[in-house]
Amino acid sequence: MRKPIFHALLIGAASMLAACGSMQSFTFEQLYPAEITYPAGVNHVAVVNNMPSAPEPKGNVLTAGMHEGDGKVAAETLAGALADSRYFGRVMICDSALCPKDARTEAPVLTQTQVEELCASLDADLLFSVERVALQTAKREVYYPDFPMPFEVVEVKIRPTVRIYIPSRSKPMVSVSHVDSLYWDLLPELSDKAVVRDATADAISTLMPMLIPHWGEVSRLFYDGGSVEMRDAAICVRENDWGEAKKLWKQLYDSRKKGRVKAKAAFNLALACEMEGSLTEASGWLDKAKTYASPGSEEERMADYYQKVLDEKQKDLPKLDMQMKRF
């Protein structure tokens, strides 16, 4: 699954800067909005299997090429993930195939009458319809640094598709799809049946961040050297005592008239404000950090980049607040 680009860039920056002992990194969980925002009043939902029929995959061979996912596994995986998220009041499932048997590669769009009948029978306000899980398998060789020989793996390119319906609309509310690749070690016991089953479940799981607000791990940097206050505050950060860390950084900031140390203290104060939930105050401290940083310096670059991160987070907040109103 895709990770935020900032996470990878920040880890790289941390490795470079930590070498001189000037910065440290830490990680925490952040709530992200889903791509889909549901209509007000949606509480009970249902998952239906509308995937096209496919031949039973073989349990004793492994073939390269196109495969269709398992509709029953797809519906059960999606229903289970939605239920585990506890975002909706109730999740029902109908894993019996709805798609006509003569449909091989594309499921027909459900009619409004079908949606109304399914919602009535399942007591649902909204339907998640699993439409297709396209799988393409191929054998690959993967090379790892400092290893003398390649590893043989099976690459599975996945494309799951889910349509979302509500009874009041004649067409789907939205269609959600995702393209990705999965890899398995090429073992003797691996078969078409095992790959289709497991890849179907994994493919559906990749859609969950698009469907439901979700937690993700993010990283941040802070300055930790050059003064007693910086070192003591770093201990507070490790103990998750942001109030005391903020107090120490503020003392350091107030004690200096200008220069790099004042810029670094302001940068750290921006982080403390973010962790306390005040992004506006955090941006104000970054402005101060840039005021005292030399043009083109490390401190200025770090403040500029951190501001971009906060801007992205601020942009997500209205959408996240709307999606979390149900709680």
Side-chain angles (χ1 to χ4, degrees):
M1 295 174 62
R2 180 179 63 86
K3 288 190 174 182
I5 294 174
F6 175 64
H7 179 80
L9 291 174
L10 196 53
I11 291 299
S15 300
M16 178 180 66
L17 295 168
C20 62
S22 64
M23 302 195 81
Q24 291 292 332
S25 68
F26 75 101
T27 59
F28 62 97
E29 293 291 312
Q30 177 174 303
L31 187 61
Y32 290 92
E35 291 188 15
I36 309 301
T37 299
Y38 302 96
V42 170
N43 188 34
H44 296 174
V45 301
V47 176
V48 297
N49 171 17
N50 194 34
M51 284 178 55
S53 60
E56 181 74 19
K58 297 179 181 179
N60 58 350
V61 297
L62 179 64
T63 57
M66 291 298 301
H67 300 270
E68 293 296 328
D70 186 313
K72 190 172 187 296
V73 170
E76 290 176 351
T77 300
L78 180 56
L82 291 172
D84 290 342
S85 75
R86 299 186 178 181
Y87 187 68
F88 299 106
R90 186 171 64 193
V91 180
M92 302 293 289
I93 183 172
C94 175
D95 58 4
S96 300
L98 301 177
C99 186
K101 291 185 177 181
D102 57 351
R104 291 294 179 182
T105 60
E106 185 174 353
V109 175
L110 297 177
T111 67
Q112 186 172 8
T113 299
Q114 287 177 301
V115 173
E116 290 172 347
E117 291 175 351
L118 286 166
C119 285
S121 64
L122 296 169
D123 188 23
D125 307 311
L126 176 146
L127 288 182
F128 291 91
S129 176
V130 182
E131 304 287 316
R132 192 183 183 194
V133 179
L135 309 171
Q136 184 174 10
T137 60
K139 296 180 182 179
R140 296 278 187 264
E141 288 188 344
V142 176
Y143 292 83
Y144 292 99
D146 302 323
F147 219 83
M149 61 183 66
F151 284 89
E152 286 191 311
V153 300
V154 176
E155 178 189 36
V156 186
K157 293 183 178 180
I158 60 173
R159 187 183 180 92
T161 301
V162 170
R163 290 191 184 118
I164 300 175
Y165 298 85
I166 55 176
S168 60
R169 297 190 184 183
S170 60
K171 295 181 179 180
M173 185 182 96
V174 68
S175 180
V176 179
S177 190
H178 179 68
V179 178
D180 210 334
S181 292
L182 309 172
Y183 297 88
W184 279 275
D185 291 332
L186 186 55
L187 302 175
E189 62 268 25
L190 204 59
S191 66
D192 288 347
K193 185 174 183 178
V195 168
V196 167
R197 180 191 64 234
D198 294 343
T200 297
D202 288 345
I204 292 297
S205 296
T206 66
L207 295 178
M208 294 312 298
M210 305 168 72
L211 301 176
I212 298 295
H214 57 285
W215 292 94
E217 187 178 87
V218 297
S219 296
R220 295 288 188 267
L221 293 173
F222 65 95
Y223 293 97
D224 73 331
S227 70
V228 173
E229 291 92 342
M230 284 289 196
R231 290 190 289 271
D232 288 348
I235 295 173
C236 295
V237 170
R238 289 193 289 272
E239 295 176 350
N240 202 34
D241 186 352
W242 288 98
E244 185 62 25
K246 185 178 182 181
K247 179 181 176 181
L248 290 166
W249 288 328
K250 184 64 165 57
Q251 289 175 358
L252 182 60
Y253 177 85
D254 290 339
S255 70
R256 304 300 174 95
K257 292 184 178 180
K258 60 181 179 179
R260 298 182 67 187
V261 173
K262 195 173 184 72
K264 291 177 179 180
F267 180 94
N268 286 2
L269 283 163
L271 175 60
C273 291
E274 182 196 1
M275 298 307 297
E276 292 178 344
S278 178
L279 299 187
T280 301
E281 189 178 357
S283 293
W285 280 111
L286 286 178
D287 288 338
K288 291 181 174 68
K290 287 184 280 188
T291 297
Y292 293 106
S294 300
S297 65
E298 168 201 295
E299 291 80 19
E300 184 182 61
R301 293 195 302 271
M302 291 301 299
D304 283 338
Y305 193 77
Y306 190 14
Q307 186 61 64
K308 293 178 183 178
V309 173
L310 292 184
D311 289 344
E312 286 295 317
K313 187 172 182 177
Q314 186 72 56
K315 187 172 66 176
D316 280 344
L317 281 181
K319 187 175 185 180
L320 181 61
D321 289 343
M322 182 179 296
Q323 293 177 359
M324 299 304 290
K325 277 183 179 178
R326 67 174 61 246
F327 301 106

